[in-house]
Amino acid sequence: MPIKASLLSCDLLNLGAEIRLLEEAGVGGLHIDVMDGNFVPNIAFGIDAIRQVCAFTKLPISVHLMVSNPLQFIDVVTYTNVQYVIIHSEGNRHTEETMERIRNRSSKVGLAINPATRVSDVKDFLRLADLALIMGVHPGYGGQTLIQSTISKIGQARCSNPEMLVAIDGGINEKTAYLANREKADILVVGSYLFDNCSCNRLDCIKEKLKILCKED
Ligand code: DX5
Ligand code: ZN
């Protein structure tokens, strides 16, 4: 079960060291949350940060665009190790065009689904996607509690497009990972649980947490 580490909750003053730790601990990739203070009430990671992280690590990177106009950013976020560019369709009049542009830039296409959005509302977009990112929390902040009703969307999304991978993002920790695993999520995106309350040996602590997240029950 690949775990993608969301950098939102890492020690930002030591970003490089945190990424090296994640590489050594064996995460499956990095998840970079881009927030514009408009689509969500928070601001996070800009283009320069993405560029520098991409140059620094060989880990596959997912860029999660929580911005009002994702089309504006596709050309500048598709670096070679950007495996997925993930957009939202909520409030976006150019979803299909944006998805096409991501594909033309040789990244895989992800569609994020907010807690208030039904899978059936976005089924046409899911047919065009390589990845569904089920939001387990309202986007904007790390460290929120999982909205448990979102878990059933993992199976619903898979039915819409069996070829696509399904990930869950937000609220995943040692108490909730089993719910996502039971629904056969392909990828868990995890932020605060990985980084918070780590004992003095941060590497061992993160390794242990990765093991716990992969447990089936
Ligand atoms: C929420 C972000 C998530 C978040 C996950 O808006 O999209 O990627 O960083 O953080 P945790 O795991 O702390 O819920
Ligand atoms: Zn995210």
Side-chain angles (χ1 to χ4, degrees):
M1 153 84 58
I3 311 285
K4 308 262 176 157
S6 160
L7 295 182
L8 200 58
S9 297
C10 76
D11 177 359
L12 292 175
L13 293 181
N14 290 297
L15 184 57
E18 293 281 77
I19 292 172
R20 291 289 177 256
L21 264 182
L22 294 166
E23 289 170 341
E24 212 178 328
V27 298
L30 303 180
H31 176 100
I32 304 182
D33 290 305
V34 179
M35 304 187 190
D36 67 351
N38 187 19
F39 183 78
V40 288
N42 195 4
I43 294 177
F45 296 110
I47 302 308
D48 291 328
I50 297 171
R51 182 175 45 78
Q52 290 197 31
V53 171
C54 286
F56 183 72
T57 182
K58 292 198 166 58
L59 283 173
I61 289 173
S62 304
V63 176
H64 178 188
L65 292 173
M66 285 164 278
V67 301
S68 293
N69 183 11
L71 188 54
Q72 183 186 350
F73 297 106
I74 303 310
D75 292 343
V76 285
V77 297
T78 38
Y79 297 100
T80 46
N81 49 342
V82 172
Q83 187 181 26
Y84 289 99
V85 177
I86 304 164
I87 61 160
H88 286 254
S89 62
E90 294 92 356
N92 180 357
R93 283 179 291 120
H94 309 287
T95 301
E96 224 175 295
E97 187 186 347
T98 312
M99 294 175 91
E100 243 166 60
R101 177 87 70 97
I102 296 168
R103 199 173 294 292
N104 291 341
R105 300 282 307 186
S106 304
S107 287
K108 291 184 180 173
V109 183
L111 185 80
I113 305 175
N114 276 347
T117 303
R118 287 188 301 245
V119 169
S120 55
D121 292 341
V122 294
K123 63 178 187 332
D124 292 342
F125 298 136
L126 287 176
R127 287 198 194 106
L128 307 172
D130 302 295
L131 174 85
L133 186 79
I134 308 298
M135 295 306 300
V137 299
H138 297 292
Y141 299 95
Q144 302 180 72
T145 304
L146 175 74
I147 301 166
Q148 291 217 5
S149 57
T150 60
I151 289 285
S152 59
K153 290 180 176 177
I154 296 171
Q156 292 167 18
R158 175 159 293 112
C159 287
S160 299
N161 178 356
E163 316 266 276
M164 178 183 70
L165 295 184
V166 183
I168 182 146
D169 182 16
I172 298 299
N173 55 38
E174 84 281 20
K175 294 197 183 81
T176 56
Y178 81 95
L179 294 168
N181 292 336
R182 215 167 53 186
E183 284 291 311
K184 305 256 177 294
D186 299 297
I187 295 167
L188 305 182
V189 178
V190 186
S192 54
Y193 170 66
L194 276 185
F195 298 107
D196 291 356
N197 304 315
C198 257
S199 56
C200 41
N201 190 332
R202 224 163 144 68
L203 177 61
D204 286 350
C205 178
I206 293 177
K207 274 186 180 166
E208 188 55 34
K209 287 177 174 179
L210 291 175
K211 264 194 227 152
I212 293 170
L213 289 168
C214 292
K215 278 196 187 144
E216 295 278 323
D217 47 18

